[in-house]
Amino acid sequence: MDETTAAAAPTGNLEITVSRAELLRELTAAQSVVERKTTIPILSNFLFEAADDKLTITATDLDQSLRTSCVAKVKKPGACTIPARKLYDYIKLLPEGEISLKLMDNHWVQIRAGRSNTKMVGMARANFPQVPEFPASSAVKISVPALKNMVSKTIFAISNEESRYTLNGALLVLKAESMAMVATDGHRLAHIEKLGETLEGISGEKKTLIPRKALAEIAGLLGSTDAETLEFADDDQTLFFKIGGRVLTSRKLTGQFPNYEAVLPRDNTKFVIVRSEDLMSSIQRVAQFADERSGAIKIRLEQNELKLSSSSTDAGESEDTIETPYNYDPLVVGFNSQYLIDFLKAIGNTGEVRLEFKDAQSAGQMRPEDANEDVKYRYILMPMRI
């Protein structure tokens, strides 16, 4: 057996020492991928592989996988699997210091730390599913802060309905000098574009549908990395994201994302600008009295004022008025209050927001009224009949 394969898939009776802090940090990253309830027992385990002063930890639920690693003193290279939740909970309870792990007979794993001595029941390494390798040759470098911002501005608009599976993700659009992300559930659509990005190796445009579960994992990984860039790659079945020393893989969503450009409003010429905070407070107050099922509230625009109102047979009725310049024809349009709140939360409920309308039957558009030229963020809402 030559050296390269030996390093790639260590077998043998693993015996290592590792720092609790470092191990816990990587287990925290990996455990979120592990399914809580699974009918396939091996999937509730971590795969540990030790070789070359490194412990590699892998978790998978067959849809996604996360592979990460930390420094370890490797006495004997090898591999084992350990129940993920139980190990994570146990390591959290250990005091700071060194932890030694040793694979025993019958897939049991001994864990020693200070005065604690524990043996955990593992499973055969051979049962752990094969996880695809990161294809470094085709990877594109993407800015971490830019992607992090794009995910937070779109993830909430992804559909929850399993039946609409092409809407169960966000579309990432990469071009040579810009990138964009779009998400919709059919009732609303969030679209953000970041200009002035240099993406090596992209010509024309590359569109990729990223499942919601993967986006949530990416958001977590982006939130805990110091890296400035991440690497993104894909093949026919799999998406790969390499963030710091961690690699997330996700199965691709099949199907076509809808032609979202067709629904972007063109002639929403009636607009009003209000402080996000004022709008949020008013919506939250009025929404208390909206119909519980639909959450619908009414927006009425008249001479220099914006009125928000709601009523329900059970709760009563409520109206709030915000004074603001408005000199177009009066307009009344209904929207889902929660959808409005989601947008205001996504922009951090700060600054001013611009609401753009055409008429009561057409989609409304919201966007932050800021001077940021290279980030274009907009949120499109279908109106509700009230």
Side-chain angles (χ1 to χ4, degrees):
M1 190 173 178
D2 66 68
E3 278 304 295
T4 50
T5 46
T11 49
N13 276 12
L14 165 143
E15 195 175 331
I16 59 168
T17 309
V18 63
S19 120
R20 171 191 175 270
E22 296 211 1
L23 178 62
L24 186 58
R25 193 178 61 217
E26 303 315 319
L27 293 183
T28 304
Q31 56 92 28
S32 57
V33 170
V34 180
E35 282 284 346
R36 289 280 181 274
K37 302 182 180 75
T38 175
T39 50
I40 309 167
I42 192 72
L43 297 184
S44 44
N45 283 24
F46 287 130
L47 170 63
F48 276 24
E49 295 169 296
D52 310 327
D53 299 328
K54 190 168 85 166
L55 168 66
T56 302
I57 301 164
T58 308
T60 181
D61 65 359
L62 297 183
D63 282 332
Q64 8 184 39
S65 77
L66 187 83
R67 179 170 277 168
T68 184
S69 63
C70 63
V71 178
K73 295 188 193 108
V74 179
K75 256 190 180 171
K76 287 187 187 162
C80 64
T81 80
I82 312 182
R85 190 71 219 177
K86 185 66 85 182
L87 177 71
Y88 174 62
D89 289 343
Y90 179 65
I91 300 291
K92 276 197 295 196
L93 297 170
L94 288 174
E96 216 31 88
E98 297 280 295
I99 295 176
S100 61
L101 294 154
K102 185 179 179 183
L103 178 60
M104 318 285 281
D105 294 342
N106 212 7
H107 315 304
W108 283 46
V109 181
Q110 182 183 48
I111 304 168
R112 289 183 171 214
R115 297 177 179 184
S116 307
N117 181 7
T118 299
K119 294 186 183 74
M120 287 182 70
V121 181
M123 293 176 75
R125 150 84 181 89
N127 295 347
F128 199 87
Q130 189 72 39
V131 168
E133 286 297 322
F134 185 80
S137 57
S138 62
V140 179
K141 281 193 168 59
I142 295 176
S143 146
V144 164
L147 186 64
K148 193 171 157 185
N149 183 39
M150 286 177 32
V151 172
S152 71
K153 297 279 196 290
T154 51
I155 191 165
F156 62 89
I158 296 174
S159 176
N160 284 320
E161 293 176 42
E162 291 299 320
S163 59
R164 311 187 67 169
Y165 61 90
T166 54
L167 301 182
N168 292 154
L171 187 71
L172 176 66
V173 183
L174 300 178
K175 298 182 184 178
E177 288 171 6
S178 72
M179 54 186 203
M181 193 170 266
V182 194
T184 181
D185 60 7
H187 307 290
R188 51 167 167 184
L189 179 146
H191 178 270
I192 183 164
E193 187 175 17
K194 173 82 171 75
L195 307 168
E197 290 290 316
T198 310
L199 297 173
E200 303 286 337
I202 298 279
S203 54
E205 66 174 15
K206 178 179 173 68
K207 290 184 171 179
T208 313
L209 200 47
I210 306 175
R212 174 224 289 280
K213 208 159 62 162
L215 274 179
E217 284 299 327
I218 291 165
L221 293 170
L222 293 175
S224 60
T225 183
D226 302 328
E228 282 298 303
T229 58
L230 68 137
E231 291 182 71
F232 163 64
D234 66 340
D235 59 25
D236 293 344
Q237 278 98 37
T238 313
L239 304 171
F240 300 86
F241 300 88
K242 189 175 190 179
I243 301 168
R246 298 168 178 166
V247 177
L248 176 75
T249 74
S250 168
R251 193 189 299 212
K252 276 186 166 174
L253 281 176
T254 50
Q256 276 303 105
F257 193 76
N259 174 15
Y260 63 91
E261 281 162 357
V263 303
L264 300 179
R266 297 276 179 267
D267 38 13
N268 281 25
T269 49
K270 300 172 183 172
F271 73 90
V272 62
I273 296 169
V274 286
R275 284 183 54 216
S276 299
E277 228 176 307
D278 296 346
L279 186 59
M280 178 71 114
S281 304
S282 287
I283 292 170
Q284 287 175 323
R285 285 191 290 266
V286 168
Q288 292 290 316
F289 300 90
D291 177 76
E292 273 188 20
R293 206 175 47 83
S294 72
I297 63 171
K298 203 182 277 184
I299 292 181
R300 182 188 294 275
L301 286 166
E302 286 168 350
Q303 191 70 35
N304 294 337
E305 61 180 19
L306 175 128
K307 281 189 171 157
L308 296 161
S309 64
S310 65
S311 66
S312 74
T313 46
D314 303 337
E317 55 186 46
S318 177
E319 183 180 80
D320 244 64
T321 304
I322 299 171
E323 287 185 10
T324 176
Y326 179 79
N327 296 311
Y328 306 93
D329 290 339
L331 174 80
V332 181
V333 58
F335 292 113
N336 178 318
S337 53
Q338 189 54 51
Y339 290 176
L340 296 167
I341 289 170
D342 288 342
F343 170 78
L344 293 169
K345 279 186 182 161
I347 60 172
N349 199 24
T350 54
E352 292 185 316
V353 59
R354 183 183 174 105
L355 310 173
E356 302 168 342
F357 305 101
K358 183 182 170 193
D359 54 39
Q361 289 77 45
S362 306
Q365 178 163 278
M366 301 173 78
R367 42 186 175 172
E369 182 70 7
D370 57 18
N372 195 337
E373 286 301 309
D374 58 350
V375 179
K376 292 193 160 79
Y377 181 37
R378 50 198 200 162
Y379 184 58
I380 288 104
L381 278 167
M382 294 312 288
M384 297 177 76
R385 273 194 212 77
I386 293 191

